Amino acid sequence: MVSRQEQKEQRRLLILQSALDLFIRKGYGETKIADIAKAANMSMGLLFHYFESKEALYKVLIQIGSEKLKMEMSFPDTSPLTAFEILAQDIFQLISTNPFAAKMFVLMENAHHLEAMSTDIKEMLSEADKLMEKSIPLIEEGQQIGEIRQGNPEALAIAFWNALQGIAQYIALHPEAPRPDAQWIIAILKK
């Protein structure tokens, strides 16, 4: 038997999943709170019991995505190239087994292009840029030991992370598509 608390958490998750699907397919501006309630098969009143507004719901989704981006770029006893291989394989595994995670890549990218978002949402979105910045010293280290190709480390970070971003977005919108091999992304960096 499902407890009352478990039922509340299941409803909250259903709302988040329904909103995420609509936000990535229709966009934030075109998604109405009534659309989310309908997709979650509940009344608007019940939805408002969980989230006070569409922006509050969007903010929770952005918080979830931002928390996942707060990973450390520290891989003790691992070469820089191996660290990027681990990152790419982990992300590919995540997006292949968890449709919600793949859709979060789409949401986070789309959110960067919204002008009318609150300051706190924009601050959360800056985590994606921080992740790219954190990877630059790792690329430089790999260049120094000769396992990562020469070139502008920031440009290499941009190429690596945006290749992952693009693949995650495509898989989110086309879940039946074949999965690229993580080594293809590593080839961007490999000397």
Side-chain angles (χ1 to χ4, degrees):
M1 182 175 205
V2 177
S3 73
R4 188 172 189 87
Q5 186 59 36
E6 290 171 328
Q7 185 180 29
K8 284 180 77 171
E9 188 53 37
Q10 287 173 354
R11 277 195 194 124
R12 185 177 182 279
L13 183 58
L14 176 62
I15 294 167
L16 289 169
Q17 290 171 333
S18 299
L20 179 60
D21 284 340
L22 288 165
F23 288 146
I24 69 169
R25 298 220 179 260
K26 294 176 71 172
Y28 178 80
E30 293 299 314
T31 300
K32 307 294 180 237
I33 202 78
D35 300 331
I36 299 168
K38 183 178 178 182
N41 197 27
M42 65 181 61
S43 69
M44 284 180 36
L46 183 58
L47 189 143
F48 282 124
H49 177 73
Y50 289 88
F51 298 96
E52 65 187 39
S53 66
K54 180 173 80 168
E55 184 172 355
L57 176 52
Y58 195 76
K59 183 177 177 179
V60 168
L61 286 168
I62 296 298
Q63 283 175 317
I64 292 168
S66 295
E67 285 302 313
K68 299 297 181 195
L69 293 174
K70 288 183 180 177
M71 63 178 76
E72 289 301 317
M73 293 298 295
S74 175
F75 295 88
D77 303 322
T78 303
S79 76
L81 191 63
T82 301
F84 282 106
E85 287 173 347
I86 292 167
L87 283 167
Q89 289 168 350
D90 287 353
I91 290 171
F92 275 27
Q93 177 66 25
L94 179 66
I95 63 177
S96 292
T97 59
N98 185 342
F100 187 88
K103 291 173 185 176
M104 287 301 293
F105 277 86
V106 179
L107 179 82
M108 297 298 284
E109 178 60 27
N110 290 349
H112 279 284
H113 304 288
L114 296 175
E115 294 178 12
M117 282 295 117
S118 64
T119 304
D120 53 339
I121 289 178
K122 288 179 181 178
E123 285 177 20
M124 285 185 274
L125 290 170
S126 71
E127 285 303 318
D129 295 331
K130 289 178 188 172
L131 184 59
M132 200 173 305
E133 290 169 17
K134 289 181 204 175
S135 65
I136 293 171
L138 195 58
I139 290 172
E140 291 171 335
E141 181 185 338
Q143 289 173 326
Q144 289 171 0
I145 63 172
E147 67 177 19
I148 292 182
R149 73 176 63 236
Q150 293 302 309
N152 183 307
E154 182 179 4
L156 285 167
I158 290 168
F160 175 79
W161 289 109
N162 281 288
L164 286 173
Q165 172 71 31
I167 291 166
Q169 286 184 233
Y170 192 85
I171 289 171
L173 298 173
H174 307 282
E176 72 291 340
R179 303 316 194 238
D181 189 301
Q183 289 302 312
W184 301 347
I185 303 306
I186 297 307
I188 292 170
L189 299 175
K190 196 172 189 177
K191 185 170 182 178

